[in-house]
Amino acid sequence: MRTIVGRTDHVVVVGAGLAGLAAALHLAGRGRAVTVVERHPWPGGRTGRLDVDGYRIDTGPTVITMPEIIDETLAAVGKTRAGRLELLPVDPAYRAVFADGSALDVHSDPDEMAAAVERFAGPAQAAGYRRLREWLQQLYRTEFDGFIGANFDSPLSLLTPQLARLAALGGFRKWDRVIERYISDPRLRRVFTFQSLYAGVAPKDALAVYAVIAYMDTIAGVVFPRGGVRALPDALAGAAAEAGVRFCYGQTVTALERSGDRVSAVRTDHSERIGCDAVVLTTELPQTYALLGRTPRRILPLRASPSAVVAHIGCPAVAPETAHHTILFGEAWNQTFTDIIRDGRVMRDPSLLVTRPTAGDPSLAPAGRDLLYVLAPAPNLDRGTVDWDGDGRAYVDRMIDDVTKRLLPGLREDATVLGVVTPADWARQGMAGGSPFALAHTFAQTGPFRPANMVRGIGNAVLAGSSTVPGVGVPTALISGRLAADRITGAVPSTVRPDTKAQLP
């Protein structure tokens, strides 16, 4: 594995998102002095926050999995979650509601889930679920060390015994085809393939290796931090500060000083110059390459994932049995991918994610109220032609109508829209293609073919975040920070074992 040559005593990390915080913690734990520069007044990056009229809103990811990776990140500086971060199990992980009115609660416990599947689709499908669960576990065990948690210097880095095992498991077949080997009910198949949206590829086009995302939420389970998702970056930043990491909030890095092929200092819009021996850049990829003054050549242009429209809604308290996460599947599920990925248009038959964070922590909304996060997949700006600034609010009205009709009768009568984020808004935050899901996980943007976390010609700069290895998601962002630290200090074996789970209260 290539690493930075020369001194690395002081490292500047640009960005206090999850990848930047993980990099800072691992570097501090390995004896480096670390300074983190963050443009916002708080940590989090894409794990953003918004406070409106007593509502405490998470504007970024809402599904948290793999708490053992959080534990590993804190343990890098000898810290634990105790007293700083409480993770609550979310059960069911999701409630899937289908266009025919049927519904399925998704549990991580194998017996509970098999019983739910049997009630939903019969004993043959329940038996298929158990076989699928075993395959997903094998997939994760095979992938974790050799692919998800590994740095690559070239495509030749893939030529390992794990590659043969992964191929034998069917990891390079299409995701939906592999799932069909185990379960035939089309509704049930959606529960184990909708995660391809996170990867930015339709299930019929996605490699089965990305079914590992389905493992993370349907088998490993989903958790929710008390205090909202913002509590996660707050806890990581607090642990880093206790370990001696210096934070410069409210400052934007405007330039990198160079001495030969090395970055010698970063400059901020506060006229501050921070000298460094190495730099970790977690900025959005276009800004990263602009700062470096270098864009690596690629045979194929980079392709952004589909985007999303998110509406944050306050409403009177809903029925307490309303799930934390509900997926409202439209009837024309396959058409959804054609609409947003191929045709660049909004979904004609919408499928929506409705998250109710107040199911886990009622204090996130005023007394007697609930907070909803409604997400609709949407075309990115590279493919789509929607005038989001002009038509975005009308589209949100249709989203609310769908939720009212299919999940929460009466929502329309007293719903308060607290905030809306469209692809145009994501673009204004610097996200390529106006997508918060970064680069699509196509074959040409996977593993060693994804933008590398080292840029040739720059001797001491390392990248971290969603657009580099290993990819999009909360666990992978944290792993990305560790991989960046490995490029600076040399590899330190991961303490996360594929067969273990973090303990929750």
Side-chain angles (χ1 to χ4, degrees), residues 294-344:
R294 189 179 187 90
T295 300
R297 295 179 179 178
R298 292 180 62 88
I299 297 174
L300 298 174
L302 293 173
R303 173 180 149 189
S305 289
S307 186
V309 177
V310 176
H312 304 287
I313 299 169
C315 64
V318 302
E321 62 270 19
T322 305
H324 193 121
H325 297 291
T326 301
I327 305 171
L328 299 176
F329 285 105
E331 176 64 33
W333 174 240
N334 292 331
Q335 185 66 42
T336 291
F337 297 92
T338 301
D339 285 343
I340 64 176
I341 295 177
R342 190 193 72 183
D343 297 341

Side-chain angles (χ1 to χ4, degrees), residues 24 85 216 258 417 458 496-497:
L85 179 66
M216 291 179 179
R258 299 268 292 275
V417 177
I458 310 293
V496 175
R497 299 271 56 85

Side-chain angles (χ1 to χ4, degrees), residues 408-497:
L408 298 172
L411 176 63
R412 164 61 69 189
E413 298 171 10
D414 195 10
T416 302
V417 177
L418 305 168
V420 172
V421 189
T422 71
D425 297 312
W426 301 121
R428 281 188 278 268
Q429 295 178 39
M431 299 180 191
S435 173
F437 303 114
L439 299 179
H441 287 265
T442 61
F443 179 78
Q445 295 178 171
T446 293
F449 306 109
R450 199 164 180 83
N453 58 3
M454 295 188 79
V455 179
R456 295 191 183 279
I458 310 293
N460 64 340
V462 183
L463 278 54
S466 297
S467 290
T468 185
V469 291
V472 177
V474 171
T476 41
L478 295 173
I479 292 171
S480 180
R482 175 177 64 79
L483 295 179
D486 288 349
R487 291 292 195 182
I488 293 171
T489 68
V492 173
S494 171
T495 60
V496 175
R497 299 271 56 85

Side-chain angles (χ1 to χ4, degrees), residues 16 56-57 96 98 204 352 505:
R56 301 175 64 206
I57 300 168
F98 301 93
K204 67 181 180 62
L352 305 172

